[in-house]
Structures are given as structure tokens and as C-alpha cells.
């Protein structure tokens, strides 16, 4: 019985589920945290998730594109395609760094905007969700490459 429990803790499925939950938790947590600070104002992660695509489509800041890349990476991870998942999660993390190229973010149709002075805690939780997925995928990829011991 003890051996079954030991195997369950080290099972790739349990590890994959744990990594998925941890990564997605940081991503969801980032939605409720301040992501951008400027002139005493803050924009939250959910606001940027919903409207950030506008900046990406105008080529002012492509960081929002990390979101669909992360979703793709998560799908590959759940399908046990660890190499592709790791590579796409790394790409998502690198694309997310484009946040620092942002100069300002419009907040309404009246032309009001928040200048980008510094990244908030949501940015770091968001990036960490990509890094967790990439690290987990690399770990499981490496583990599946090793020959099984008798």
C-alpha cells in the first residue's frame, strides 16, 4: 500500500495536474491585482486582459499576445506534449516582457489614459504563471526522456 502512495505522488499525471493548478492559479490571481501604475492610478489585470488586445492590434505593445500563447501552451501541456508546451510558455514569458515598452494605456473613449510608470504585482504573478508552466513542462519532458527503471 505504501508503494502505491509513493507512486501516486510521483505520477506524471499528479505532477501535471499540480503544475497546471499552480500555473493557472497565478494567472487568475493576477487578474485581480494592479498591473500598471501611473500618476496615482492603477489598472487591474482583468481590465488589461479584456482591452489589452487593442494595444496589440495597433502594435503599440504586443504583451497581450502572451495570453493566447499561454493558452496554447497549457493545451499542449495537458496533452503531454511537454517540449512544445515548454517552448511556447517561454515564448509567452518573453512576449509578456513587451509590457515595459508600453507608454500609456487609454481607459475610456474620452481620451483619458494612465501613463505606464511601473508594473504592478499582477504583471509579476502573470509572468510567474508562464515560468511555472515552462519549468513544469521542462521537468516532465526531461523525465519522459529518461529510460524507465526496472
Amino acid at each position: 500500500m505504501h508503494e502505491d502512495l509513493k507512486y501516486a505522488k510521483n505520477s506524471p499525471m499528479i505532477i501535471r495536474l499540480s503544475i497546471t493548478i499552480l500555473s493557472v492559479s497565478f494567472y487568475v490571481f493576477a487578474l485581480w491585482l494592479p498591473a500598471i501604475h501611473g500618476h496615482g492610478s492603477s489598472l487591474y489585470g482583468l481590465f488589461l486582459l479584456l482591452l489589452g488586445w487593442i494595444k496589440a492590434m495597433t502594435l503599440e505593445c504586443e504583451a497581450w499576445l502572451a495570453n493566447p500563447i499561454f493558452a496554447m501552451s497549457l493545451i499542449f501541456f495537458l496533452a503531454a506534449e511537454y517540449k512544445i508546451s515548454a517552448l511556447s510558455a517561454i515564448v509567452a514569458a518573453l512576449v509578456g516582457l513587451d509590457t515595459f515598452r508600453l507608454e500609456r494605456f487609454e481607459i475610456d473613449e474620452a481620451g483619458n489614459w494612465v501613463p505606464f510608470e511601473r508594473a504592478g504585482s499582477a504583471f509579476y504573478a502573470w509572468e510567474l504563471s508562464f515560468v511555472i508552466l515552462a519549468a513544469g513542462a521542462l521537468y516532465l519532458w526531461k523525465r519522459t526522456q529518461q529510460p524507465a527503471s526496472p
Side-chain angles (χ1 to χ4, degrees):
M1 180 75 156
H2 181 45
E3 284 297 315
D4 292 339
L5 184 59
K6 183 179 177 185
Y7 177 75
K9 286 183 180 179
N10 293 321
S11 161
M13 187 171 173
I14 298 296
I15 294 170
R16 186 170 59 210
L17 181 62
S18 300
I19 291 167
T20 301
I21 290 171
L22 187 61
S23 178
V24 170
S25 295
F26 271 95
Y27 186 90
V28 171
F29 185 56
L31 298 175
W32 309 112
L33 295 173
I36 292 176
H37 298 287
H39 285 206
S41 296
S42 296
L43 297 179
Y44 284 75
L46 182 60
F47 181 83
L48 295 177
L49 177 63
L50 296 175
L51 297 176
W53 63 271
I54 297 169
K55 287 290 186 186
M57 294 304 119
T58 60
L59 303 179
E60 292 177 52
C61 177
E62 287 80 23
W64 182 88
L65 296 173
N67 295 303
I69 297 170
F70 173 68
M72 179 184 70
S73 180
L74 197 56
I75 290 167
F76 282 120
F77 185 76
L78 293 172
E81 294 291 341
Y82 303 125
K83 184 177 181 180
I84 299 170
S85 176
L87 292 173
S88 56
I90 291 168
V91 169
L94 293 173
V95 170
L97 292 175
D98 194 51
T99 298
F100 293 106
R101 201 169 57 88
L102 182 65
E103 294 178 9
R104 66 183 192 174
F105 200 93
E106 290 75 17
I107 56 174
D108 59 27
E109 302 84 21
N112 296 317
W113 48 273
V114 172
F116 178 77
E117 292 177 355
R118 64 186 169 87
S121 53
F123 169 77
Y124 299 103
W126 182 61
E127 281 284 326
L128 188 56
S129 71
F130 306 150
V131 172
I132 289 168
L133 186 60
L138 286 171
Y139 170 76
L140 287 171
W141 177 48
K142 182 77 170 166
R143 184 179 169 151
T144 58
Q145 300 301 308
Q146 296 174 352
S149 58

